[in-house]
Amino acid sequence: MSYDFELYTSRKLTLDPPQTSVGKYIRVDGPDVVEEEDIPANYLPVLGKKRILFRISLEGNHTSSDRAAVDSWLGAIVLETKGVLIDLQTEHFETPTKSGKLEEKAIQPNDSGWMSFYFEGGEKFYESGFEQLLREISLLMPEAAPARFGYYEPLQGKVEDGDVSELVSSFKTETDIFMKSRSPFGHIFLDVPCKKTFERYHPQHFVRREFLLCRVCFELRPKLFTHPANLDRLKSLFESLCITFDVVYAEIVQTDNRGGWCWYGLPDHEAHTICVGRAYQEVWPEFLKSGRKIGEHHHLVTTDRFGNKPPLPPRALVAPDQGDGNPGGKSEYASVFPFEYRFDRDAYIW
């Protein structure tokens, strides 16, 4: 079991946790610099300008003497650092001069949409596609370019003056990297089925027995959709990336729905813009009656000023509901699935 705290301070320092019983320990992660946009809104009134974060976890079953030692230590570091300690289990805070319960988190309205691309060729994307992605973003819509990156939050890597060399190196080291752009964009997520990604996976890991496409997802803030000029630039970037990566499917949605990595069929929801590649054009010819062709092999339909919007796909092409998402359960695929793939889960191994 684990009991978790966060400590926010104004400066970086070293924390030395007390000794506990054999087999029990205290883990301290940090210090990390946190951006204000990554801090829960109900923390801000008590944090002031403190932006250095330590994560403190008590792991294992501690004795009463252990807990007393830890309690004393936590009180001492709050005084020493003039910090703010937050108990993540109870939502209580403590400073050198006061303590109490954090304000209730306000229920936030949906504050993000997504631009998502699904395509084949994981090895090619690992070798050169990621760098190509960054180049096209910098040329067509620089504000969408990653400003920060890392393998966990808060993201500590930074892109300075457009130099993405450290970002590219981090991706080559571990493809499961998180990125974040400045507003009106947000996080960028990657899922890349390639040898490098699966170095850390057991040969029989359930993910390796599913049909996987490369997935790149950009978080979009609502104001993008209310600024016509920026929305047009976004759609230009969307079109360019659809052609560059020869997408199977891509979409822009105004809801917080970016789906999962495993590809079971087309998503069944309304989208602002969708692009369909060759495989789905062959099994969804009605789609070609609206919208327009882009590049040599893709067709795009977008929401316009005349009330036109992308159609919903036929039921036969839609990904069935995967239930509770139990990785040990049997996956279901669309009844029309235009890829060479055997549905025997043990037969598809990367």
Side-chain angles (χ1 to χ4, degrees), residues 89-134:
Q89 288 67 219
T90 63
E91 291 279 303
H92 275 78
F93 73 91
E94 178 185 344
T95 77
T97 58
K98 61 182 178 179
S99 63
K101 188 170 178 61
L102 293 166
E103 293 181 5
E104 292 291 333
K105 294 178 181 178
I107 298 176
Q108 298 291 329
N110 174 59
D111 63 352
S112 64
W114 293 93
M115 178 170 69
S116 303
F117 304 89
Y118 298 85
F119 52 94
E120 299 180 278
E123 297 297 341
K124 182 178 179 181
F125 185 82
Y126 175 73
E127 292 299 329
S128 62
F130 180 64
E131 293 161 86
Q132 190 170 8
L133 170 71
L134 297 176

Side-chain angles (χ1 to χ4, degrees), residues 12 31-35 148-158 166:
K12 294 184 177 181
D32 293 318
V33 179
V34 187
E35 301 288 337
R148 292 187 286 132
F149 60 91
Y151 301 116
Y152 56 86
E153 296 281 4
L155 307 179
Q156 297 299 294
K158 292 187 178 181
E166 187 179 348

Side-chain angles (χ1 to χ4, degrees), residues 115 137 141-147 180-182 185-186 188 218 234 237:
M115 178 170 69
I137 295 172
M141 202 167 189
E143 57 266 53
K180 195 168 187 178
S181 305
R182 294 182 177 88
F185 291 86
I188 305 172
F218 294 78
L234 178 73
L237 175 63

Side-chain angles (χ1 to χ4, degrees), residues 284-297:
W284 188 12
E286 296 81 8
F287 182 75
L288 304 179
K289 295 177 182 178
S290 56
R292 59 189 174 87
K293 182 180 180 181
I294 62 170
E296 292 295 320
H297 307 293

Side-chain angles (χ1 to χ4, degrees), residues 119-242:
F119 52 94
E120 299 180 278
E123 297 297 341
K124 182 178 179 181
F125 185 82
Y126 175 73
E127 292 299 329
S128 62
F130 180 64
E131 293 161 86
Q132 190 170 8
L133 170 71
L134 297 176
R135 284 195 298 271
E136 292 207 27
I137 295 172
S138 66
L139 288 172
L140 296 175
M141 202 167 189
E143 57 266 53
R148 292 187 286 132
F149 60 91
Y151 301 116
Y152 56 86
E153 296 281 4
L155 307 179
Q156 297 299 294
K158 292 187 178 181
V159 176
E160 305 282 1
D161 300 321
D163 181 3
V164 298
S165 56
E166 187 179 348
L167 169 58
V168 171
S169 177
S170 294
F171 169 75
K172 293 290 189 180
T173 301
E174 187 174 335
T175 62
D176 189 18
I177 192 169
F178 303 136
M179 296 174 284
K180 195 168 187 178
S181 305
R182 294 182 177 88
S183 182
F185 291 86
H187 288 89
I188 305 172
F189 296 108
L190 299 176
D191 292 300
V192 186
C194 66
K195 292 178 182 177
K196 185 64 179 179
T197 297
F198 291 122
E199 282 180 350
R200 298 179 295 109
Y201 284 68
H202 186 277
Q204 294 299 315
H205 190 283
F206 76 93
V207 170
R208 298 177 65 150
R209 289 176 279 163
E210 303 289 0
F211 185 81
L212 303 175
L213 295 173
C214 288
R215 183 176 67 145
V216 180
C217 300
F218 294 78
E219 188 177 17
L220 310 174
R221 300 304 184 194
K223 61 182 178 181
L224 256 176
F225 296 95
T226 61
H227 193 295
N230 283 344
L231 183 57
D232 285 344
R233 293 173 60 228
L234 178 73
K235 288 193 283 189
S236 293
L237 175 63
F238 179 77
E239 290 185 27
S240 178
L241 293 176
C242 284

